[in-house]
Amino acid sequence: MRLLRTGEKEGKAFLEALKRRGDIDARRVETEVGAILEAVRQRGDLALVDYCRRFDGWECKPEQLQVPMEEVEKACQRVSVELVNALQVAADRIRRFHQRQLENSWFVSEEQGVFLGQKVTPLEQVGLYVPGGKAAYPSTVLMTAIPAQVAGVSESVLCCPAPGGEISPVVLAAARIAGVKRIFRVGGAQAIAALAYGTRTIPRVDKIVGPGNLYVAVAKKMVYGEVGIDSVAGPSEVLVVADESASPAAVAADLLAQAEHDEMALPLLITLSPDLGEKVRVEVERQLAGLSRQAVARRAWETRGAILVAATREEAVALVNEIAPEHLELAVTRAEDLLGVIRNAGAIFLGHWTPEALGDYAAGPNHVLPTGGTARFASPLGVYDFLKRSSILRYSAEALGTISGIVRQLAQAEGLEAHGRALEIRERGNSSASGIGGTAAMEDAP
Amino acid sequence: MRLLRTGEKEGKAFLEALKRRGDIDARRVETEVGAILEAVRQRGDLALVDYCRRFDGWECKPEQLQVPMEEVEKACQRVSVELVNALQVAADRIRRFHQRQLENSWFVSEEQGVFLGQKVTPLEQVGLYVPGGKAAYPSTVLMTAIPAQVAGVSESVLCCPAPGGEISPVVLAAARIAGVKRIFRVGGAQAIAALAYGTRTIPRVDKIVGPGNLYVAVAKKMVYGEVGIDSVAGPSEVLVVADESASPAAVAADLLAQAEHDEMALPLLITLSPDLGEKVRVEVERQLAGLSRQAVARRAWETRGAILVAATREEAVALVNEIAPEHLELAVTRAEDLLGVIRNAGAIFLGHWTPEALGDYAAGPNHVLPTGGTARFASPLGVYDFLKRSSILRYSAEALGTISGIVRQLAQAEGLEAHGRALEIRERGNSSASGIGGTAAMEDAP
């Protein structure tokens, strides 16, 4: 952890390095991931079975890759009523928020029978990747499956690593609550390959969404283009902006909630008050002592964390936009007043009573957010990730005649003669009944 | 060119191969592109100058990479008044269509002072890649620059290859009409690298959009994640669905307008009528003879083109959705009736009077469209590509108290103790005035 003044040399160097934090170190695993992708493409389920043995210590047959419905039912019975209820409440809130993201097809009709617009269509089949192995993430099941369902996706297929062939019951319960019917015990780059190319057991999907480790991120990037992906996700991040109205204990708790995710997690604080900065530092140390995930949180905090003391409010805002954090907490009075000047952040938590942990689980907005500074150009996972648009164009003979000269002029400027011809042939068909073959049939049907 | 029945063995094999057409053959150029990216990242402008010499036969200094405004003005005077007018008409129509794509920030306010929503913000800086070299594409300048401008992007930067240091005057005129102020004489993978990493002369942007050759496509894929990209574009495609109401001459002209782009262009026809298929085949041969770009068009048509005869309307529709073409022409009577069952297509051209060439230039919708089957999950370039969303969350102390138990339950299920602590600390601060340090200050400001 560094306590840095942003105007000083060390502070500047730290901020400069942050700009490049999104560069995933793909090279290290690229060859290995490439080999996994190729193996699954060539050998399908047999390759998956091999990887289950190797990575998950699980001997299985292809037909065991999918979790049978009875097993899902049985698992749900092993989850406490309270926890099922909590998942249900979270699911309802997530669904309610995401329903606001639905989009309509739209059109404009102009003179001369011109009709233009965009048709919005849900994707047909999507793959949800839910990390697992060391821990269980039922919340990620809800956050990926519900937007897909709200969008109207025909089928969502879920892949999750399963050490020893076991997926956590609470993950299965979340899948059931979110209406996911096909669940596969496959994780890592091999799951991404299966979803991208399809195997006999796992269907080829149109888009893969969800976070994962470095192997998953690199695999997603490599298959992108053959299949859609939501993002190439890196370690999780929080940037807390706090003034003296903030509780040092609450700020410290939020920094640690970030730090406990992962040794590479990035917990940052910006404040104008060196005094608050110091109090938070002390509080972090105090709270660290009692944490069950102390080792992970301490490592993230010590190697990646920072408390940055800025000189002015304007500087603090500029830093936020430059860092473009995944999570931004504005633990300041009148946090809303800052909204207009914040350009880059995945999710913005306003005031003292909106901890990031709330957004991770149950507030409603998505917790799959742009990391590594990609909030400069990317958005939270949403219903829009599961919809796509097709442009719709319809001209009449008359309208085409009006614009035809313009089009031919432009086609000529680009040296594309056949483009011009496509117009000319129709102009002739339009103006003469004795035109080219077939034009008699070219009158518009109603 | 193959005239195939979709039910027969050869037809099936052809369609199966089409599914994989989006696999770009990256491996062939990956090493070379990787070296270019690395050179530009390390050596900046000096690397760009080297590549200008090597690829464009142009000796220059870094300060010459940007086209000076006077040169843009001068170039515009060399473009005919008619052509400038055509560009202006097209620009106006493109702008008008894209203005419909603007999105608003939105929010919901709930009980207990909960405020949730999404803030929509334009990207700050974007890079427009416009191909060049062999030909000039002023239409691509309009199609990329105008949506960015409508979105409210602060600055658009344009890169275009410039053999001998020359960019076509009509491209410069289009840039001026579209309001692009910074234009660089840099193309290829080196342009993508410059826009992704920034050099002394070319700014690092938030997102790169626009089509290009294989080098550009592979470079975009490689930098994706450090910078946003619109897509990894492959060769252009058209699928015409025609019935006997169609003019064989018009259909043939549209297939050739596609074929003349590129030897790898994909011109396809699906019809239920073998008779129409045969007539189109004859017409294509006849029209090919007189084309200036005959060699290119013939090669695309002969090696990539196909006339597919389907057995039923349902089968034809299923094929369209499976192929997911970039451009889909429905040259049939009552084309609108098919809209409801078409799921996958970049742009849909309805009826006999809406040739693709019209959409390429002046109808209004974008001509940068998903290729290679990516219309399964991707959309036309649009204003939405230049906007991103940030989730907004605000809870009150009271609302947080209501949901806190749910969040703690879920955090516990995921083994994330510090997440639970972030809630507990606030609950304590909430219920007790003598709570943890700083909580006295945690009352909400208005």
Side-chain angles (χ1 to χ4, degrees):
Chain A
M1 197 284 300
R2 281 140 292 193
L3 210 158
L4 300 165
R5 293 198 180 250
T6 57
E8 290 171 5
K9 198 178 156 196
E10 219 194 331
K12 283 182 186 161
F14 178 81
L15 290 165
E16 197 52 39
L18 269 191
K19 281 193 199 167
R20 297 274 172 252
R21 75 188 186 281
D23 298 15
I24 57 168
D25 184 14
R27 228 165 292 175
R28 189 159 67 79
V29 301
E30 224 161 46
T31 313
E32 200 181 338
V33 169
I36 293 172
L37 297 181
E38 204 44 38
V40 175
R41 194 205 274 264
Q42 301 287 343
R43 300 177 50 238
D45 286 339
L46 295 180
L48 295 181
V49 164
D50 282 351
Y51 291 121
C52 284
R53 184 183 312 118
R54 206 155 103 199
F55 296 132
D56 297 325
W58 180 44
E59 285 286 347
C60 67
K61 291 182 183 144
E63 55 271 28
Q64 294 174 289
L65 292 172
Q66 181 168 352
V67 182
M69 257 306 149
E70 314 86 81
E71 208 174 310
V72 176
E73 295 300 330
K74 241 186 260 170
C76 291
Q77 285 158 18
R78 285 162 53 202
V79 178
S80 74
V81 178
E82 292 72 31
L83 189 49
V84 168
N85 174 55
L87 286 169
Q88 193 65 64
V89 170
D92 291 346
R93 291 196 59 79
I94 294 165
R95 182 169 291 112
R96 193 139 40 106
F97 182 83
H98 285 81
Q99 275 163 346
R100 305 267 174 173
Q101 294 175 342
L102 273 166
E103 290 170 28
N104 285 321
S105 300
W106 59 270
F107 69 92
V108 281
S109 44
E110 301 178 356
E111 305 175 331
Q112 300 183 319
V114 171
F115 180 96
L116 302 172
Q118 287 199 303
K119 182 183 187 228
V120 176
T121 313
L123 307 194
E124 221 156 329
Q125 243 170 344
V126 301
L128 315 177
Y129 187 85
V130 174
K134 274 176 273 177
Y137 298 106
S139 60
T140 302
V141 176
L142 303 182
M143 293 290 183
T144 53
I146 292 172
Q149 196 188 43
V150 169
V153 164
S154 310
E155 187 179 50
S156 294
V157 165
L158 191 151
C159 283
C160 182
E166 287 287 320
I167 294 179
S168 149
V170 60
V171 164
L172 297 177
R176 188 167 172 257
I177 285 170
V180 178
K181 302 247 164 21
R182 288 172 84 183
I183 304 166
F184 295 96
R185 295 182 249 246
V186 181
Q190 58 273 28
I192 303 303
L195 294 166
Y197 308 132
T199 70
R200 194 180 289 261
T201 307
I202 300 184
R204 176 194 185 210
V205 301
D206 299 317
K207 187 166 183 172
I208 304 170
V209 306
N213 64 15
L214 182 62
Y215 288 81
V216 169
V218 170
K220 281 171 75 180
K221 183 167 170 176
M222 287 173 90
V223 298
Y224 169 57
E226 303 181 44
V227 65
I229 64 170
D230 55 342
S231 66
V232 177
S236 191
E237 321 162 340
V238 72
L239 171 56
V240 182
V241 176
D243 64 15
E244 293 199 334
S245 73
S247 148
V251 170
D254 291 355
L255 292 169
L256 286 175
Q258 194 57 45
E260 78 171 335
H261 270 293
D262 179 342
E263 293 181 354
M264 288 298 289
L266 184 66
L268 299 174
L269 169 64
I270 294 182
T271 181
L272 305 191
S273 160
D275 182 51
L276 180 81
E278 179 55 25
K279 280 183 185 152
V280 169
R281 193 189 64 72
V282 171
E283 263 296 328
V284 168
E285 284 303 327
R286 201 181 63 80
Q287 293 182 26
L288 257 174
L291 277 187
S292 56
R293 292 175 63 82
Q294 184 184 162
V296 170
R298 184 177 292 281
R299 195 163 162 79
W301 176 243
E302 284 177 0
T303 62
R304 302 261 293 157
I307 294 173
L308 299 159
V309 178
T312 65
R313 184 176 175 279
E314 289 63 40
E315 194 203 352
V317 168
L319 287 176
V320 169
N321 287 329
E322 195 180 297
I323 294 170
E326 181 191 15
H327 304 97
L328 173 65
E329 288 191 11
L330 298 177
V332 300
T333 49
R334 303 184 58 90
E336 294 82 347
D337 291 0
L338 286 173
L339 263 189
V341 290
I342 303 290
R343 299 181 67 101
N344 303 332
I348 307 174
F349 299 77
L350 299 172
H352 300 302
W353 303 100
T354 322
E356 188 211 309
L358 175 66
D360 287 347
Y361 292 110
N366 213 286
H367 81 194
V368 180
L369 295 165
T371 57
T374 59
R376 288 184 297 133
F377 56 83
S379 303
L381 187 69
V383 170
Y384 34 80
D385 277 293
F386 300 100
L387 300 172
K388 33 88 179 201
R389 302 167 173 92
S390 302
S391 295
I392 308 292
L393 299 84
R394 184 187 165 103
Y395 266 59
S396 63
E398 190 193 357
L400 185 66
T402 307
I403 194 101
S404 196
I406 300 288
V407 175
R408 282 194 286 114
Q409 193 110 33
L410 294 168
Q412 196 189 357
E414 296 192 353
L416 296 175
E417 188 191 1
H419 280 61
R421 289 270 191 99
L423 277 294
E424 277 166 42
I425 278 178
R426 285 176 173 85
E427 283 176 73
R428 271 184 275 153
N430 200 359
S431 62
S432 145
S434 63
I436 50 167
T439 40
M442 279 181 68
E443 282 147 38
D444 267 319
Chain B
M1 198 284 301
R2 281 141 293 192
L3 209 158
L4 300 166
R5 292 197 181 251
T6 56
E8 290 172 5
K9 198 177 154 195
E10 217 194 334
K12 282 181 188 164
F14 178 80
L15 290 166
E16 197 52 39
L18 269 191
K19 282 193 198 167
R20 298 273 172 252
R21 74 190 187 280
D23 298 14
I24 58 167
D25 185 15
R27 229 165 292 176
R28 190 161 65 79
V29 301
E30 224 162 45
T31 314
E32 201 179 338
V33 170
I36 293 172
L37 297 183
E38 204 43 40
V40 175
R41 193 204 273 262
Q42 300 287 343
R43 300 177 51 238
D45 287 338
L46 295 179
L48 296 180
V49 164
D50 282 353
Y51 291 122
C52 283
R53 184 186 311 119
R54 206 155 104 197
F55 296 132
D56 297 325
W58 180 43
E59 285 285 347
C60 67
K61 291 182 183 142
E63 55 270 29
Q64 292 174 290
L65 293 172
Q66 180 167 354
V67 182
M69 258 305 149
E70 315 86 81
E71 208 174 309
V72 176
E73 295 299 331
K74 242 187 257 170
C76 292
Q77 285 158 18
R78 284 161 53 202
V79 178
S80 75
V81 177
E82 293 74 28
L83 190 48
V84 168
N85 174 54
L87 287 169
Q88 193 64 65
V89 170
D92 290 346
R93 290 196 60 78
I94 295 164
R95 183 169 291 112
R96 195 141 35 107
F97 181 83
H98 285 81
Q99 275 163 347
R100 305 265 174 175
Q101 295 174 342
L102 273 167
E103 291 168 31
N104 285 321
S105 300
W106 59 271
F107 69 92
V108 282
S109 44
E110 301 178 357
E111 305 174 330
Q112 300 184 316
V114 171
F115 180 96
L116 301 172
Q118 287 200 303
K119 182 182 187 225
V120 177
T121 313
L123 307 194
E124 221 157 329
Q125 244 171 342
V126 301
L128 314 176
Y129 187 86
V130 175
K134 276 177 270 178
Y137 299 106
S139 60
T140 302
V141 176
L142 303 183
M143 293 290 183
T144 52
I146 291 172
Q149 197 188 43
V150 170
V153 163
S154 311
E155 186 178 50
S156 294
V157 165
L158 190 151
C159 284
C160 182
E166 286 288 321
I167 293 179
S168 149
V170 59
V171 164
L172 296 178
R176 187 165 172 261
I177 285 169
V180 178
K181 303 247 161 27
R182 287 172 85 182
I183 304 166
F184 295 96
R185 297 182 248 246
V186 181
Q190 59 273 26
I192 303 303
L195 293 167
Y197 308 132
T199 70
R200 194 179 289 260
T201 307
I202 300 183
R204 176 193 186 211
V205 301
D206 299 317
K207 187 167 183 172
I208 303 171
V209 306
N213 63 15
L214 182 62
Y215 289 81
V216 169
V218 171
K220 280 170 75 181
K221 183 167 169 176
M222 288 173 89
V223 298
Y224 168 57
E226 303 182 46
V227 65
I229 64 170
D230 55 342
S231 66
V232 178
S236 192
E237 322 162 340
V238 74
L239 169 57
V240 183
V241 177
D243 64 15
E244 293 198 333
S245 73
S247 148
V251 171
D254 291 355
L255 292 169
L256 286 175
Q258 195 57 46
E260 77 172 335
H261 269 293
D262 180 342
E263 293 180 353
M264 286 299 288
L266 183 66
L268 301 174
L269 169 64
I270 293 181
T271 181
L272 305 189
S273 161
D275 182 52
L276 180 81
E278 180 54 26
K279 280 183 185 152
V280 170
R281 194 190 63 74
V282 171
E283 262 296 327
V284 168
E285 283 303 326
R286 202 181 61 79
Q287 292 182 27
L288 257 175
L291 278 187
S292 56
R293 293 174 63 82
Q294 185 185 160
V296 170
R298 185 176 293 281
R299 196 162 161 79
W301 176 243
E302 285 176 0
T303 60
R304 301 263 292 159
I307 294 173
L308 299 158
V309 178
T312 64
R313 184 175 175 279
E314 288 65 39
E315 193 202 354
V317 168
L319 287 175
V320 168
N321 286 330
E322 195 179 296
I323 294 170
E326 181 191 13
H327 304 97
L328 173 65
E329 287 192 13
L330 298 176
V332 299
T333 50
R334 305 184 58 89
E336 293 83 347
D337 292 0
L338 286 173
L339 263 190
V341 290
I342 303 289
R343 297 182 68 99
N344 303 332
I348 307 174
F349 299 78
L350 299 171
H352 300 302
W353 303 100
T354 321
E356 188 211 307
L358 174 65
D360 287 347
Y361 292 110
N366 213 287
H367 81 193
V368 180
L369 294 165
T371 59
T374 60
R376 289 184 296 133
F377 57 82
S379 304
L381 189 68
V383 170
Y384 35 79
D385 278 294
F386 300 101
L387 300 172
K388 33 93 182 197
R389 301 167 174 93
S390 303
S391 295
I392 308 293
L393 301 85
R394 184 189 165 100
Y395 265 57
S396 62
E398 188 193 357
L400 185 66
T402 307
I403 194 102
S404 196
I406 300 289
V407 175
R408 282 194 286 115
Q409 192 109 32
L410 294 167
Q412 197 189 356
E414 296 191 354
L416 295 174
E417 188 192 0
H419 281 62
R421 290 267 192 101
L423 277 294
E424 277 166 42
I425 278 180
R426 285 176 172 86
E427 283 177 71
R428 272 185 273 153
N430 200 359
S431 61
S432 145
S434 63
I436 50 169
T439 39
M442 279 180 68
E443 282 148 38
D444 268 317

